[in-house]
Amino acid sequence: MAALRSLFLCVFVLSAALSHSHAQLTPNFYNKVCPKALSTIRSVVLNAIKREPRMGASLLRLHFHDCFVNGCDGSVLLDDIGSFVGEKTAFPNVNSIRGFEVVDQIKQKVNKACKGNVVSCADILAVAARDSVAILGGPNYKVLLGRRDARTASVDDANRSLPPPFFSFSQLLSSFQSQGLDLKDLVLLSAGHTLGKARCATFRTRIYNDTNIDRKFAASLKAICPPSGKDNNLMGLDKTSNFFDTAYFKALLNKKGLLHSDQELFGGGSQESDELVSYYSSYPYSFRDDFGSSMIKMGNIKPLTGSYGEIRQNCRFVN
């Protein structure tokens, strides 16, 4: 009997430990430990977008590039130092992802508001992405919280996991499915490109080589993106690049997707994808609601919780 009680006790302790290590994310995670955390993040994001509207898209993109490489763990923020190589120099990230100074500012102000280091950098990215979307006219969806920060990063995994702008539809779908996402998530999350701009280097091949592109649209882009040089010239990902709307989908219907990977969502060989693009182009409220749901789903990709990882004092370096 004593041995049986001892077995039950061991099972209980093990179950409790596993439950703690794999705790579920919750929107109320900081309600007691730091009630001012979310409002502090939003204030910094709002000021950053007022200074530069494009920053909203940049913060949204940081969260995406974080989650797609070994989960939403803040690894994308780690700087190279000594022999440690982070993810910032990966091909999809170099000269591309930005907004690190805003994250630094958020972290400093949140630590001050919380009177301690309690809010993870991974959670900061998730909240800043939501706030950016909401400030620029999109849904104010509930962010699930409680992530912890990775102590490692992988430039090789970033190169493998982040879908580049020249991917075909089948490659895009495979990339998203490998993260536990589906075709609907692919269409919705790609529509984050309703915000922001792209460099000439990312759409040059499309405007000179693709056939599924409006000729006048391609000609207008060639004026700012020559066959060589001017790699850093910028173009809005849709014609209202500082506002969350359905212009992105309407552009795809008219063969005016800026990136090859965007246009693949309509006319790329998937009837289901074509139907979703057409549907969301006409139903903005459905797009808003469903985009929020897909963002929450993406934010749940392999988070570190419980006793895993750490809460970084400085988002650029492990403690």
Side-chain angles (χ1 to χ4, degrees):
M1 189 70 174
L4 189 60
R5 280 199 299 268
S6 178
L7 176 62
F8 283 143
L9 179 61
C10 288
V11 170
F12 176 79
V13 171
L14 178 60
S15 298
L18 288 172
S19 175
H20 176 67
S21 298
H22 298 277
Q24 295 296 308
L25 303 182
T26 167
N28 306 317
F29 190 83
Y30 296 109
N31 282 13
K32 291 184 178 179
V33 293
C34 185
K36 295 181 179 179
L38 270 60
S39 61
T40 302
I41 296 172
R42 189 179 186 89
S43 175
V44 178
V45 172
L46 179 60
N47 288 333
I49 292 175
K50 283 181 177 178
R51 289 193 302 270
E52 183 194 7
R54 182 187 170 207
M55 186 54 67
S58 298
L59 293 171
L60 172 60
R61 194 156 181 256
L62 271 181
H63 182 42
F64 178 92
H65 280 232
D66 183 37
C67 291
F68 261 59
V69 183
N70 298 319
C72 309
D73 60 6
S75 60
V76 72
L77 300 173
L78 290 170
D79 281 351
D80 295 355
I81 181 170
S83 61
F84 177 86
V85 179
E87 298 165 10
K88 293 180 179 179
T89 54
F91 176 75
N93 290 338
V94 69
N95 296 323
S96 178
I97 54 173
R98 57 198 294 274
F100 302 109
E101 295 79 9
V102 176
V103 175
D104 292 340
Q105 186 181 8
I106 292 171
K107 183 62 174 173
Q108 291 167 5
K109 288 188 177 292
V110 165
N111 281 3
K112 184 177 180 180
C114 298
K115 298 179 181 178
N117 183 39
V118 297
V119 180
S120 70
C121 301
D123 274 350
I124 285 173
L125 287 181
V127 176
R130 187 277 309 277
D131 289 346
S132 296
V133 167
I135 290 165
L136 294 171
N140 191 32
Y141 57 91
K142 281 192 175 182
V143 179
L144 301 181
L145 302 164
R147 300 168 190 82
R148 289 167 64 85
D149 299 321
R151 297 188 180 99
T152 60
S154 174
V155 66
D156 291 333
D157 288 344
N159 281 321
R160 279 191 293 265
S161 301
L162 292 167
F166 53 78
F167 260 14
S168 66
F169 177 82
S170 61
Q171 289 173 313
L172 290 167
L173 183 58
S174 177
S175 174
F176 274 66
Q177 288 175 335
S178 72
Q179 303 290 348
L181 303 171
D182 58 25
L183 187 151
K184 187 176 180 181
D185 298 316
L186 165 60
V187 172
L188 288 161
L189 294 173
S190 295
H193 285 171
T194 183
L195 301 173
K197 299 179 179 181
R199 297 165 60 239
C200 162
T202 64
F203 59 83
R204 176 182 284 119
T205 300
R206 168 156 169 73
I207 64 176
Y208 287 98
N209 296 340
D210 281 7
T211 56
N212 62 339
I213 187 169
D214 179 86
R215 290 185 179 181
K216 290 184 179 178
F217 177 65
S220 69
L221 293 172
K222 290 174 183 178
I224 65 165
C225 187
S228 61
K230 307 294 184 182
D231 284 3
N232 292 324
N233 281 1
L234 297 173
M235 181 68 186
L237 285 158
D238 71 13
K239 63 181 181 181
T240 56
S241 60
N242 291 330
F243 193 73
F244 188 98
D245 57 19
T246 58
Y248 171 83
F249 293 117
K250 292 183 170 76
L252 300 187
L253 295 178
N254 292 298
K255 297 183 179 181
K256 294 181 180 180
L258 183 63
L259 304 179
H260 175 86
S261 55
D262 285 334
Q263 192 60 57
E264 284 292 286
L265 301 181
F266 188 83
S270 168
Q271 182 179 348
E272 185 179 356
S273 182
D274 289 354
E275 290 172 352
L276 284 168
V277 169
S278 297
Y279 174 76
Y280 288 125
S281 73
S282 299
Y283 294 93
Y285 290 106
S286 293
F287 170 44
R288 289 167 58 91
D289 290 345
D290 292 350
F291 180 83
S293 296
S294 285
M295 285 295 292
I296 292 169
K297 188 174 176 182
M298 183 185 77
N300 259 318
I301 297 175
K302 294 185 287 187
L304 298 174
T305 59
S307 60
Y308 289 96
E310 64 182 16
I311 307 297
R312 282 186 222 135
Q313 184 73 35
N314 182 327
C315 291
R316 293 175 181 265
F317 308 103
V318 297
N319 291 344

